[in-house]
Amino acid sequence: CLDQLIRLLETVDRRESTPKLHVYRGRTRSIAPCSWDDLVLDPGITSLLKRDFEQFWSREEWFRERHLPFRRGYLLHGSPGNGKSASVRAMMCSRKLGAYTMRLFDREMGDSDLEGLFDEALKERPAIILFEDLDRAFPREGESMTQVSLQRLLNCLDGVASGEGIV
């Protein structure tokens, strides 16, 4: 428990009031404030997402007691403008979490950069790792649009060495 307490105090000490989006090998930007009440989604979807997200953080001890990895994943999909980005901003703002992302379509970004992204997020956990346009990066048919391999992405997300405290 002492290690967890120290990690919590370090996290609280580092946190700023405005969440930031950290682009791997790129700029860091402040995120515009957004609350769950700001979302313009079906109220049932908003409620489900908010409840699941908040319950995840409140159940850390439950995960640890059962020796389960303390991490969570969401796959948000839909047409442009349906609230995906606003939902992520609400998640970030509700817990003052930093988010980490990379330019998947940059031809100079590869598997080692993906691992670097996860390492950065793990240093600052709890945190969010955000990937946009995965359907374009890893299409069902045709050539992949990224130098990052799907296998490495899956290993980083849910492999043996994947980190905890990450959404």
Side-chain angles (χ1 to χ4, degrees), residues 41-73:
L41 298 172
D42 177 275
I45 292 172
T46 301
S47 175
L48 178 66
L49 183 60
K50 177 183 177 183
R51 184 174 58 246
D52 185 81
F53 185 75
E54 290 177 352
Q55 283 180 351
F56 167 73
W57 295 108
S58 69
R59 296 181 70 201
E60 182 174 1
E61 190 60 34
W62 183 91
F63 280 83
R64 301 218 182 278
E65 287 171 358
R66 288 157 181 78
H67 307 286
L68 297 171
F70 182 62
R71 58 184 176 257
R72 189 80 173 122

Side-chain angles (χ1 to χ4, degrees), residues 3-4 6-15 22 56-57 60 64 70-71 95-100 117-129 161-167:
D3 288 338
Q4 290 176 346
I6 290 171
R7 193 171 84 213
L8 175 65
L9 291 173
E10 289 172 343
T11 300
V12 168
D13 187 50
R14 278 195 304 259
R15 292 270 181 249
H22 307 273
F56 167 73
W57 295 108
E60 182 174 1
R64 301 218 182 278
F70 182 62
R71 58 184 176 257
R95 303 227 16 120
K96 296 183 173 98
L97 298 175
Y100 296 80
L117 171 74
F118 274 81
D119 288 344
E120 279 188 18
L122 286 171
K123 288 177 193 171
E124 300 298 322
R125 69 182 159 205
I128 292 175
I129 296 178
S162 58
E164 297 194 358
I166 300 290
V167 171

Side-chain angles (χ1 to χ4, degrees), residues 41 45 48-49 52-53 71-79 82-85 87-88 91 104 128-138 140 150 153-154 157 166-167:
L41 298 172
I45 292 172
L48 178 66
L49 183 60
D52 185 81
F53 185 75
R71 58 184 176 257
R72 189 80 173 122
Y74 295 93
L75 180 60
L76 305 177
H77 65 90
S79 58
N82 79 346
K84 298 180 298 287
S85 296
S87 296
V88 172
M91 289 176 177
L104 281 174
I128 292 175
I129 296 178
L130 175 64
F131 294 106
E132 296 188 79
D133 299 323
L134 282 177
D135 56 334
R136 284 189 329 129
F138 304 105
R140 289 184 184 199
L150 180 59
L153 175 62
L154 295 175
L157 289 172
I166 300 290
V167 171

Side-chain angles (χ1 to χ4, degrees), residues 83-122:
K84 298 180 298 287
S85 296
S87 296
V88 172
R89 285 190 7 247
M91 289 176 177
M92 292 173 68
C93 292
S94 72
R95 303 227 16 120
K96 296 183 173 98
L97 298 175
Y100 296 80
T101 191
M102 68 185 290
R103 294 179 300 273
L104 281 174
F105 302 103
D106 184 333
R107 295 307 238 173
E108 296 191 19
M109 294 282 181
D111 288 348
S112 62
D113 297 300
L114 179 68
E115 292 171 359
L117 171 74
F118 274 81
D119 288 344
E120 279 188 18
L122 286 171

Side-chain angles (χ1 to χ4, degrees), residues 25-44:
R25 293 205 288 167
R27 294 183 358 184
T28 296
R29 297 184 302 237
S30 294
I31 297 300
C34 184
S35 75
W36 294 106
D37 293 333
D38 294 332
L39 299 182
V40 184
L41 298 172
D42 177 275

